[in-house]
Amino acid sequence: MGTIRTIQTDELVNVVKEMCIKANHFLAPDMDRAMKDALESERSPLGKQILSQLQDNLRIAGEEMIPICQDTGMAVLFVEIGQDVHFEGMLLEDALNEGVRRGYAEGFLRKSVVSDPLLRVNTKDNTPAIIHYFMVAGDKVKITFAPKGFGSENMSRVFMLKPAEGEEGVKKAILTAVDDAGPNACPPMVIGVGVGGDFEKAAIMAKQALTREVGERSPLPHIAKMEEEMLSKINQLGIGPGGLGGTTTALAVNINTYPTHIAGLPVAINICCHVNRHITEVI
Amino acid sequence: MNKSIQLPITAEVASKLHAGDYVYLNGVMYVARDAAHKRMIESLEREEGLPIDIENATIYYMGPSPAREGKPIGSAGPTTASRMDKYAPTLLDLGQKAMIGKGKRTKEVLDAIVRNKAVYFAAIGGAGALLSKCIKESEVVCYDDLGAEAIRKLRVEDFPVIVVADCEGNNLYETAVKEFRTIS
Ligand code: SF4
């Protein structure tokens, strides 16, 4: 064990605040590249026109500081905490939420969170965030901020498959989810998939898979192969940019896996739109 | 085919539009999402009438991000239209002529489009910054307490949309996707 490092929670507040603003106005370089490549390869004339307007949209967003999309999302944070870190100041959770609160206020971002799923009263500051904590080795804190719009979130699915359904079953589940999502998920989409674990582990893996760089393949050869095969199949669905037909339906399929139970094969498919926002900072 | 259209739109103009047409809208449109639709329908049920002039109206399904100083509105792209499916046929039967959103509609809505010679346009999902630039004026008309979900009146210039469902019953989401589908 190393020596304990103290981090002031005020620092976290500022980092999160800046991440909220940046992620909602600038796509990460990997997504930016993928969108430019799609414009080159799309075969539908209308699809091409839409992709070229999405390029204009990104340019305007950055130049004039208008959010890329008006749905600036529910704030999702993946927080990896080195176990040699000690926090001083606020409760960690309060600090992270304070960062979100300030980011959404100062960045002129839309407040899209209701306090109760049935009573539906807007909290007016986009909190609380959804926070996933992971304890890791070291004395650093790594925060990934990935605001999620609900047009695509609403099209996400969890399937509890039987082990006998195997690889074919997983592929079918992915294709079904994407086909059903169609125009609602603002294609071209990015598809995050979690296979294995249990019910909630699969869903969290699927969300985390969305933060992996587009173009980066799974380190597991059989999974990397499935990612490529599924991307090509999805792009044969014909959904296309805006769902108005074309050869670019998805930009990437990222699959994460975890050991599972002898009796199960959970598959979660988290669908994201082309505004796949993710940004990471290490403190 | 690219066309420019003046809003409010009449049944005559709407009936000449075809699925796949690329259209630029100019003039006045309203903005409402599900919460505002729910209130409008409730107000009709209480026989109180509507807070907007529904005759030939265009309703844009959208909830903007806050405007920066000196700008009429923030990011302003379409939201998923299916959440309004429950309410749309009633409003179309009362005279609404156009809807702008993204995503598939139910058969009830598509039938109401044909019946009323109306039209469903798609705006490009996730192009909120670009579309924001086509909005020249924005004012909240009512339901202010709904925040981003209040009913607004917009004046737009060359606001780009694509005809998805026309009054002949054509649906671009189905036909265009089939054209590029190479997997069963
Ligand atoms: S699905 Fe994505 S691009 Fe579409 S409206 Fe929602 S956040 Fe924006």
Side-chain angles (χ1 to χ4, degrees):
Chain A
M1 198 177 126
T3 47
I4 296 293
R5 174 174 168 231
T6 298
I7 294 180
Q8 301 296 330
T9 52
D10 279 355
E11 195 182 342
L12 297 182
V13 173
N14 273 325
V15 167
V16 171
K17 180 189 92 176
E18 293 300 329
M19 285 201 287
C20 293
I21 298 172
K22 198 167 164 202
N24 274 300
H25 292 88
F26 304 91
L27 275 190
D30 63 312
M31 276 302 296
D32 203 48
R33 210 178 319 114
M35 289 292 282
K36 289 198 169 75
D37 291 348
L39 176 58
E40 292 297 311
S41 64
E42 175 56 51
R43 291 218 300 274
S44 146
L46 178 57
K48 244 189 184 350
Q49 187 174 359
I50 291 171
L51 289 170
S52 126
Q53 283 175 312
L54 290 175
Q55 284 298 313
D56 293 342
N57 185 61
L58 289 171
R59 186 180 42 77
I60 294 167
E63 280 174 14
E64 305 199 18
M65 289 305 277
I66 304 171
I68 302 167
C69 181
Q70 75 290 340
D71 185 351
T72 50
M74 189 157 190
V76 179
L77 292 159
F78 292 100
V79 186
E80 291 179 25
I81 306 164
Q83 55 183 28
D84 297 338
V85 168
H86 166 247
F87 294 105
E88 206 171 83
M90 280 181 252
L91 201 62
L92 177 59
E93 182 135 337
D94 292 348
L96 297 169
N97 276 316
E98 183 58 24
V100 168
R101 190 172 290 123
R102 290 193 199 169
Y104 276 70
E106 291 176 31
F108 290 84
L109 305 177
R110 199 179 79 183
K111 288 75 180 173
S112 313
V113 175
V114 293
S115 61
D116 179 287
L118 296 178
L119 303 177
R120 306 202 75 83
V121 179
N122 198 302
T123 62
K124 297 206 163 77
D125 61 6
N126 220 53
T127 69
I130 295 187
I131 309 172
H132 302 288
Y133 299 99
F134 304 89
M135 294 303 297
V136 298
D139 64 357
K140 305 249 184 312
V141 175
K142 183 170 156 190
I143 304 180
T144 298
F145 170 71
K148 190 65 170 69
F150 263 52
S152 52
E153 189 73 357
N154 282 338
M155 306 316 288
S156 302
R157 307 276 289 273
V158 175
F159 296 86
M160 301 304 283
L161 301 182
K162 295 181 186 70
E165 290 175 90
E167 191 176 324
E168 285 314 306
V170 174
K171 290 180 189 167
K172 197 172 145 225
I174 297 171
L175 219 50
T176 304
V178 175
D179 208 13
D180 289 350
N184 294 21
C186 294
M189 316 172 207
V190 176
I191 316 299
V193 184
V195 183
D198 62 357
F199 184 76
E200 83 282 3
K201 177 72 183 176
I204 294 169
M205 283 195 291
K207 174 127 295 152
Q208 212 169 8
L210 290 174
T211 68
R212 195 207 297 169
E213 286 215 356
V214 163
E216 186 188 316
R217 295 279 56 83
S218 164
L220 305 171
H222 68 297
I223 299 297
K225 190 163 150 263
M226 201 197 301
E227 290 174 342
E228 273 163 23
E229 184 190 335
M230 289 320 293
L231 180 60
S232 135
K233 285 219 166 101
I234 287 168
N235 285 332
Q236 290 169 43
L237 287 172
I239 296 166
L244 296 168
T247 52
T248 321
T249 297
L251 303 171
V253 179
N254 295 344
I255 306 176
N256 287 355
T257 62
Y258 195 79
T260 188
H261 188 276
I262 46 171
L265 178 51
V267 182
I269 297 123
N270 198 192
I271 298 199
C272 192
C273 49
H274 58 84
V275 192
N276 179 27
R277 294 155 281 201
H278 54 86
I279 179 169
T280 300
E281 296 286 351
V282 178
I283 299 147
Chain B
M1 194 173 135
N2 289 8
K3 301 179 179 173
S4 183
I5 283 182
Q6 193 64 39
L7 302 177
I9 184 171
T10 58
E12 200 199 333
V13 173
S15 64
K16 290 208 182 85
L17 294 170
H18 288 101
D21 288 351
Y22 203 97
V23 182
Y24 292 94
L25 304 176
N26 289 279
V28 169
M29 60 170 77
Y30 292 103
V31 171
R33 291 170 49 106
D34 17 348
H37 273 78
K38 186 162 178 269
R39 280 203 198 171
M40 283 197 281
I41 298 295
E42 283 166 0
S43 139
L44 284 173
E45 281 164 1
R46 290 193 306 265
E47 297 181 358
E48 284 170 6
L50 291 170
I52 59 170
D53 182 7
I54 199 72
E55 186 66 26
N56 294 340
T58 295
I59 298 184
Y60 182 21
Y61 303 146
M62 189 270 288
S65 66
R68 281 186 186 268
E69 214 166 302
K71 304 243 168 126
I73 203 158
S75 192
T79 193
T80 308
S82 62
R83 293 198 317 274
M84 271 55 72
D85 283 352
K86 200 172 139 192
Y87 314 110
T90 308
L91 296 178
L92 290 168
D93 288 342
L94 285 171
Q96 180 189 347
K97 276 285 158 306
M99 302 166 278
I100 309 171
K102 60 154 170 130
K104 295 177 192 166
R105 310 303 303 266
T106 54
K107 182 161 184 309
E108 285 71 25
V109 176
L110 298 173
D111 289 348
I113 290 173
V114 174
R115 180 165 74 235
N116 293 294
K117 292 206 177 342
V119 59
Y120 172 46
F121 296 114
I124 303 170
L130 177 90
L131 293 168
S132 162
K133 300 287 288 175
C134 306
I135 299 170
K136 303 301 169 186
E137 286 165 29
S138 161
E139 63 170 300
V140 172
V141 178
C142 59
Y143 308 158
D144 206 0
D145 59 303
L146 293 179
E149 297 210 53
I151 295 188
R152 288 164 188 271
K153 193 175 182 177
L154 307 181
R155 190 174 63 76
V156 300
E157 275 176 28
D158 291 331
F159 187 95
V161 291
I162 298 139
V163 177
V164 168
D166 62 27
C167 70
E168 284 165 9
N170 299 307
N171 182 351
L172 189 66
Y173 282 141
E174 278 172 14
T175 49
V177 169
K178 254 184 221 148
E179 201 182 315
F180 289 93
R181 198 173 178 104
T182 53
I183 198 173
S184 56

